[in-house]
PDB file of all heavy atoms in Angstrom:
ATOM      1  N   GLY A  58       5.921  -3.204  -6.984  1.00  0.00           N
ATOM      2  CA  GLY A  58       7.110  -2.627  -6.357  1.00  0.00           C
ATOM      3  C   GLY A  58       7.594  -1.344  -7.004  1.00  0.00           C
ATOM      4  O   GLY A  58       8.681  -0.869  -6.684  1.00  0.00           O
ATOM      5  N   THR A  60       6.480   1.824  -6.692  1.00  0.00           N
ATOM      6  CA  THR A  60       6.624   2.920  -5.736  1.00  0.00           C
ATOM      7  C   THR A  60       7.780   2.644  -4.778  1.00  0.00           C
ATOM      8  O   THR A  60       8.543   3.544  -4.431  1.00  0.00           O
ATOM      9  CB  THR A  60       5.302   3.109  -4.968  1.00  0.00           C
ATOM     10  OG1 THR A  60       4.299   3.498  -5.896  1.00  0.00           O
ATOM     11  CG2 THR A  60       5.439   4.167  -3.900  1.00  0.00           C
ATOM     12  N   LEU A  69      13.785   6.759   1.290  1.00  0.00           N
ATOM     13  CA  LEU A  69      12.737   6.588   2.294  1.00  0.00           C
ATOM     14  C   LEU A  69      12.497   5.122   2.632  1.00  0.00           C
ATOM     15  O   LEU A  69      11.914   4.818   3.661  1.00  0.00           O
ATOM     16  CB  LEU A  69      11.428   7.217   1.798  1.00  0.00           C
ATOM     17  CG  LEU A  69      11.446   8.738   1.656  1.00  0.00           C
ATOM     18  CD1 LEU A  69      10.176   9.236   0.985  1.00  0.00           C
ATOM     19  CD2 LEU A  69      11.624   9.402   3.008  1.00  0.00           C
ATOM     20  N   ASP A  80      26.418   8.419  -9.287  1.00  0.00           N
ATOM     21  CA  ASP A  80      27.658   8.916  -9.886  1.00  0.00           C
ATOM     22  C   ASP A  80      28.881   8.207  -9.314  1.00  0.00           C
ATOM     23  O   ASP A  80      29.882   8.836  -8.977  1.00  0.00           O
ATOM     24  CB  ASP A  80      27.790  10.439  -9.675  1.00  0.00           C
ATOM     25  CG  ASP A  80      26.976  11.183 -10.701  1.00  0.00           C
ATOM     26  OD1 ASP A  80      26.738  10.633 -11.798  1.00  0.00           O
ATOM     27  OD2 ASP A  80      26.560  12.311 -10.400  1.00  0.00           O
ATOM     28  N   TRP A  87      22.734   7.184   2.333  1.00  0.00           N
ATOM     29  CA  TRP A  87      22.583   8.635   2.371  1.00  0.00           C
ATOM     30  C   TRP A  87      21.167   9.016   2.773  1.00  0.00           C
ATOM     31  O   TRP A  87      20.205   8.343   2.401  1.00  0.00           O
ATOM     32  CB  TRP A  87      22.871   9.249   0.996  1.00  0.00           C
ATOM     33  CG  TRP A  87      24.314   9.217   0.595  1.00  0.00           C
ATOM     34  CD1 TRP A  87      25.329   8.591   1.241  1.00  0.00           C
ATOM     35  CD2 TRP A  87      24.887   9.818  -0.574  1.00  0.00           C
ATOM     36  NE1 TRP A  87      26.500   8.767   0.555  1.00  0.00           N
ATOM     37  CE2 TRP A  87      26.258   9.515  -0.557  1.00  0.00           C
ATOM     38  CE3 TRP A  87      24.375  10.577  -1.625  1.00  0.00           C
ATOM     39  CZ2 TRP A  87      27.117   9.950  -1.563  1.00  0.00           C
ATOM     40  CZ3 TRP A  87      25.233  11.009  -2.614  1.00  0.00           C
ATOM     41  CH2 TRP A  87      26.601  10.708  -2.581  1.00  0.00           C
ATOM     42  N   ALA A  88      21.058  10.129   3.523  1.00  0.00           N
ATOM     43  CA  ALA A  88      19.728  10.664   3.850  1.00  0.00           C
ATOM     44  C   ALA A  88      19.118  11.262   2.584  1.00  0.00           C
ATOM     45  O   ALA A  88      19.848  11.651   1.668  1.00  0.00           O
ATOM     46  CB  ALA A  88      19.858  11.740   4.924  1.00  0.00           C
ATOM     47  N   ALA A  95      14.385  14.886  -6.612  1.00  0.00           N
ATOM     48  CA  ALA A  95      13.070  15.522  -6.439  1.00  0.00           C
ATOM     49  C   ALA A  95      12.004  14.508  -6.812  1.00  0.00           C
ATOM     50  O   ALA A  95      12.074  13.899  -7.869  1.00  0.00           O
ATOM     51  CB  ALA A  95      12.961  16.759  -7.318  1.00  0.00           C
ATOM     52  N   LEU A 179       1.009  11.970 -13.746  1.00  0.00           N
ATOM     53  CA  LEU A 179      -0.084  12.537 -14.531  1.00  0.00           C
ATOM     54  C   LEU A 179      -1.369  11.746 -14.387  1.00  0.00           C
ATOM     55  O   LEU A 179      -2.235  11.795 -15.252  1.00  0.00           O
ATOM     56  CB  LEU A 179       0.322  12.616 -16.009  1.00  0.00           C
ATOM     57  CG  LEU A 179       1.589  13.436 -16.275  1.00  0.00           C
ATOM     58  CD1 LEU A 179       1.916  13.459 -17.759  1.00  0.00           C
ATOM     59  CD2 LEU A 179       1.423  14.853 -15.761  1.00  0.00           C
ATOM     60  N   LEU A 189       5.414  18.300 -19.505  1.00  0.00           N
ATOM     61  CA  LEU A 189       6.236  17.785 -18.414  1.00  0.00           C
ATOM     62  C   LEU A 189       7.534  17.196 -18.966  1.00  0.00           C
ATOM     63  O   LEU A 189       8.616  17.427 -18.432  1.00  0.00           O
ATOM     64  CB  LEU A 189       5.461  16.729 -17.620  1.00  0.00           C
ATOM     65  CG  LEU A 189       6.235  16.057 -16.483  1.00  0.00           C
ATOM     66  CD1 LEU A 189       6.760  17.097 -15.493  1.00  0.00           C
ATOM     67  CD2 LEU A 189       5.349  15.057 -15.746  1.00  0.00           C
ATOM     68  N   ALA A 194      13.435  17.457 -19.524  1.00  0.00           N
ATOM     69  CA  ALA A 194      14.361  16.917 -20.528  1.00  0.00           C
ATOM     70  C   ALA A 194      15.806  17.194 -20.125  1.00  0.00           C
ATOM     71  O   ALA A 194      16.138  18.281 -19.650  1.00  0.00           O
ATOM     72  CB  ALA A 194      14.057  17.540 -21.887  1.00  0.00           C
ATOM     73  N   ARG A 222      10.149  -8.000  -8.896  1.00  0.00           N
ATOM     74  CA  ARG A 222      11.358  -8.382  -9.641  1.00  0.00           C
ATOM     75  C   ARG A 222      11.381  -7.688 -10.994  1.00  0.00           C
ATOM     76  O   ARG A 222      10.339  -7.418 -11.583  1.00  0.00           O
ATOM     77  CB  ARG A 222      11.420  -9.901  -9.834  1.00  0.00           C
ATOM     78  CG  ARG A 222      11.560 -10.613  -8.513  1.00  0.00           C
ATOM     79  CD  ARG A 222      11.669 -12.119  -8.678  1.00  0.00           C
ATOM     80  NE  ARG A 222      11.509 -12.748  -7.379  1.00  0.00           N
ATOM     81  CZ  ARG A 222      12.497 -12.877  -6.494  1.00  0.00           C
ATOM     82  NH1 ARG A 222      13.702 -12.455  -6.789  1.00  0.00           N
ATOM     83  NH2 ARG A 222      12.271 -13.429  -5.316  1.00  0.00           N
ATOM     84  N   LEU A 244       2.235  -4.455 -26.135  1.00  0.00           N
ATOM     85  CA  LEU A 244       2.569  -3.072 -26.428  1.00  0.00           C
ATOM     86  C   LEU A 244       2.304  -2.750 -27.885  1.00  0.00           C
ATOM     87  O   LEU A 244       1.796  -1.700 -28.234  1.00  0.00           O
ATOM     88  CB  LEU A 244       4.060  -2.860 -26.193  1.00  0.00           C
ATOM     89  CG  LEU A 244       4.533  -2.435 -24.843  1.00  0.00           C
ATOM     90  CD1 LEU A 244       6.031  -2.393 -24.837  1.00  0.00           C
ATOM     91  CD2 LEU A 244       3.956  -1.095 -24.507  1.00  0.00           C
ATOM     92  N   LEU A 250      -2.946 -16.559 -30.391  1.00  0.00           N
ATOM     93  CA  LEU A 250      -3.722 -17.740 -30.736  1.00  0.00           C
ATOM     94  C   LEU A 250      -3.394 -18.870 -29.776  1.00  0.00           C
ATOM     95  O   LEU A 250      -2.277 -18.948 -29.269  1.00  0.00           O
ATOM     96  CB  LEU A 250      -3.366 -18.224 -32.158  1.00  0.00           C
ATOM     97  CG  LEU A 250      -3.371 -17.203 -33.282  1.00  0.00           C
ATOM     98  CD1 LEU A 250      -2.898 -17.860 -34.568  1.00  0.00           C
ATOM     99  CD2 LEU A 250      -4.762 -16.637 -33.450  1.00  0.00           C
ATOM    100  N   VAL A 303     -10.376  -2.680 -42.214  1.00  0.00           N
ATOM    101  CA  VAL A 303      -9.016  -2.152 -42.328  1.00  0.00           C
ATOM    102  C   VAL A 303      -8.845  -1.015 -41.328  1.00  0.00           C
ATOM    103  O   VAL A 303      -9.639  -0.077 -41.285  1.00  0.00           O
ATOM    104  CB  VAL A 303      -8.742  -1.651 -43.762  1.00  0.00           C
ATOM    105  CG1 VAL A 303      -7.292  -1.168 -43.876  1.00  0.00           C
ATOM    106  CG2 VAL A 303      -9.034  -2.745 -44.756  1.00  0.00           C
ATOM    107  N   SER A 327      -6.732 -13.548 -29.027  1.00  0.00           N
ATOM    108  CA  SER A 327      -7.427 -12.593 -29.880  1.00  0.00           C
ATOM    109  C   SER A 327      -8.536 -13.306 -30.636  1.00  0.00           C
ATOM    110  O   SER A 327      -8.376 -14.424 -31.098  1.00  0.00           O
ATOM    111  CB  SER A 327      -6.466 -11.984 -30.904  1.00  0.00           C
ATOM    112  OG  SER A 327      -5.265 -11.605 -30.288  1.00  0.00           O
ATOM    113  N   ALA A 328      -9.655 -12.619 -30.776  1.00  0.00           N
ATOM    114  CA  ALA A 328     -10.769 -13.216 -31.504  1.00  0.00           C
ATOM    115  C   ALA A 328     -10.616 -13.004 -33.001  1.00  0.00           C
ATOM    116  O   ALA A 328     -11.405 -13.501 -33.785  1.00  0.00           O
ATOM    117  CB  ALA A 328     -12.086 -12.634 -31.030  1.00  0.00           C
ATOM    118  N   THR A 358       1.183 -18.105 -16.863  1.00  0.00           N
ATOM    119  CA  THR A 358       1.902 -16.959 -16.310  1.00  0.00           C
ATOM    120  C   THR A 358       2.071 -15.833 -17.310  1.00  0.00           C
ATOM    121  O   THR A 358       2.375 -14.702 -16.925  1.00  0.00           O
ATOM    122  CB  THR A 358       3.306 -17.375 -15.837  1.00  0.00           C
ATOM    123  OG1 THR A 358       4.056 -17.793 -16.998  1.00  0.00           O
ATOM    124  CG2 THR A 358       3.244 -18.526 -14.856  1.00  0.00           C
TER     125      THR A 358
END
Side-chain angles (χ1 to χ4, degrees):
Chain A
T60 296
L69 293 172
D80 279 334
W87 289 8
L179 302 180
L189 177 57
R222 295 182 192 277
L244 270 176
L250 310 176
V303 183
S327 314
T358 65

